[in-house]
Coordinates of all heavy atoms in Angstrom, one line a residue:
K67 N 117.0 61.9 167.0 CA 116.4 61.4 165.7 C 116.5 62.4 164.6 O 115.9 62.2 163.5 CB 114.9 61.1 166.0 CG 114.7 59.9 167.0 CD 113.2 59.7 167.3 CE 113.0 58.7 168.3 NZ 111.6 58.5 168.7
N68 N 117.3 63.4 164.8 CA 117.4 64.5 163.8 C 118.3 64.1 162.7 O 119.4 64.7 162.5 CB 117.8 65.8 164.5 CG 117.7 67.0 163.5 OD1 116.9 67.0 162.6 ND2 118.6 67.9 163.7
L69 N 117.9 63.1 161.9 CA 118.8 62.6 160.8 C 118.3 63.2 159.5 O 117.1 63.5 159.4 CB 118.7 61.1 160.8 CG 119.0 60.4 162.1 CD1 118.8 58.9 161.9 CD2 120.5 60.6 162.5
E70 N 119.2 63.4 158.6 CA 118.9 64.1 157.4 C 117.7 63.5 156.6 O 116.9 64.2 156.0 CB 120.1 64.2 156.5 CG 119.9 65.1 155.2 CD 121.2 65.2 154.4 OE1 122.3 64.8 154.9 OE2 121.1 65.6 153.2
N71 N 117.6 62.2 156.6 CA 116.6 61.5 155.8 C 115.5 61.0 156.6 O 114.7 60.1 156.1 CB 117.3 60.4 154.9 CG 118.2 61.0 153.9 OD1 117.8 61.9 153.2 ND2 119.4 60.4 153.7
N72 N 115.3 61.4 157.8 CA 114.2 60.9 158.7 C 113.0 61.7 158.4 O 112.5 62.5 159.1 CB 114.6 61.1 160.1 CG 113.7 60.4 161.1 OD1 112.9 59.5 160.6 ND2 113.7 60.7 162.3
K73 N 112.4 61.4 157.2 CA 111.2 62.1 156.7 C 110.1 61.1 156.4 O 110.4 60.0 155.9 CB 111.5 62.9 155.4 CG 112.7 63.8 155.5 CD 113.1 64.4 154.1 CE 114.4 65.3 154.3 NZ 114.9 65.7 153.0
G74 N 108.9 61.5 156.7 CA 107.8 60.6 156.4 C 106.4 61.2 156.5 O 106.3 62.3 157.0
I75 N 105.4 60.3 156.2 CA 104.0 60.7 156.2 C 103.4 60.1 157.4 O 103.6 58.9 157.7 CB 103.3 60.3 154.9 CG1 104.0 60.9 153.7 CG2 101.8 60.7 154.9 CD1 103.6 60.2 152.4
V76 N 102.5 60.9 158.1 CA 101.8 60.4 159.2 C 100.3 60.5 159.0 O 99.8 61.5 158.5 CB 102.2 61.1 160.5 CG1 101.3 60.8 161.7 CG2 103.6 60.9 160.9
Y77 N 99.6 59.4 159.3 CA 98.1 59.4 159.3 C 97.6 59.0 160.7 O 98.3 58.3 161.4 CB 97.5 58.3 158.3 CG 97.8 58.5 156.9 CD1 98.9 58.0 156.2 CD2 96.9 59.2 156.1 CE1 99.1 58.1 154.9 CE2 97.1 59.4 154.7 CZ 98.2 58.8 154.1 OH 98.4 59.0 152.8
V78 N 96.4 59.5 161.0 CA 95.7 58.9 162.1 C 94.4 58.2 161.5 O 93.7 58.9 160.8 CB 95.2 60.0 163.2 CG1 94.3 59.3 164.2 CG2 96.4 60.6 163.8
S79 N 94.3 56.9 161.8 CA 93.2 56.2 161.2 C 92.4 55.3 162.2 O 92.6 55.5 163.4 CB 93.7 55.4 160.0 OG 92.7 54.9 159.2
G80 N 91.6 54.4 161.7 CA 90.8 53.6 162.6 C 89.7 53.0 161.7 O 89.6 53.2 160.5
E81 N 88.8 52.3 162.4 CA 87.8 51.5 161.7 C 87.0 52.2 160.7 O 86.7 51.8 159.6 CB 86.8 50.9 162.8 CG 85.9 49.9 162.2 CD 85.0 49.2 163.3 OE1 85.2 49.5 164.5 OE2 84.2 48.3 162.9
D82 N 86.6 53.5 161.0 CA 85.7 54.2 160.1 C 86.5 54.9 159.0 O 85.9 55.5 158.1 CB 84.9 55.3 160.9 CG 83.9 54.7 161.8 OD1 83.5 53.5 161.6 OD2 83.6 55.3 162.9
Y83 N 87.8 54.9 159.1 CA 88.7 55.8 158.2 C 89.6 54.9 157.4 O 90.3 55.5 156.5 CB 89.4 56.8 159.0 CG 88.5 57.7 159.8 CD1 88.2 57.5 161.1 CD2 88.0 58.8 159.1 CE1 87.4 58.4 161.8 CE2 87.1 59.7 159.8 CZ 86.9 59.5 161.2 OH 86.0 60.3 161.8
Y84 N 89.7 53.6 157.6 CA 90.7 52.8 156.9 C 90.5 52.9 155.4 O 91.5 53.0 154.6 CB 90.6 51.3 157.3 CG 91.3 51.0 158.6 CD1 90.6 50.2 159.6 CD2 92.5 51.5 158.9 CE1 91.2 49.9 160.8 CE2 93.1 51.2 160.2 CZ 92.5 50.4 161.1 OH 93.1 50.1 162.3
W85 N 89.3 52.9 154.9 CA 89.1 52.9 153.5 C 89.6 54.2 152.9 O 90.2 54.2 151.7 CB 87.6 52.7 153.1 CG 86.7 53.9 153.5 CD1 86.2 54.2 154.7 CD2 86.2 54.9 152.6 NE1 85.4 55.3 154.7 CE2 85.4 55.8 153.4 CE3 86.4 55.2 151.2 CZ2 84.7 56.9 152.8 CZ3 85.7 56.3 150.7 CH2 84.9 57.1 151.5
L86 N 89.5 55.3 153.6 CA 90.1 56.6 153.1 C 91.6 56.6 153.2 O 92.3 57.0 152.2 CB 89.6 57.8 153.9 CG 88.1 58.2 153.7 CD1 87.6 59.1 154.8 CD2 87.9 58.8 152.4
T87 N 92.2 56.0 154.2 CA 93.6 55.9 154.4 C 94.2 55.1 153.2 O 95.2 55.4 152.6 CB 94.0 55.3 155.7 OG1 93.3 56.0 156.8 CG2 95.5 55.4 156.0
I88 N 93.5 54.0 152.9 CA 93.9 53.1 151.8 C 93.9 53.8 150.5 O 94.9 53.7 149.7 CB 93.0 51.8 151.7 CG1 93.2 50.9 153.0 CG2 93.3 51.0 150.5 CD1 92.2 49.9 153.1

Side-chain angles (χ1 to χ4, degrees):
K67 295 176 183 176
N68 187 33
L69 306 173
E70 186 177 346
N71 293 316
N72 190 17
K73 305 170 182 175
I75 303 167
V76 172
Y77 294 91
V78 174
S79 194
E81 189 174 3
D82 294 334
Y83 299 97
Y84 282 134
W85 70 279
L86 287 165
T87 312
I88 291 167

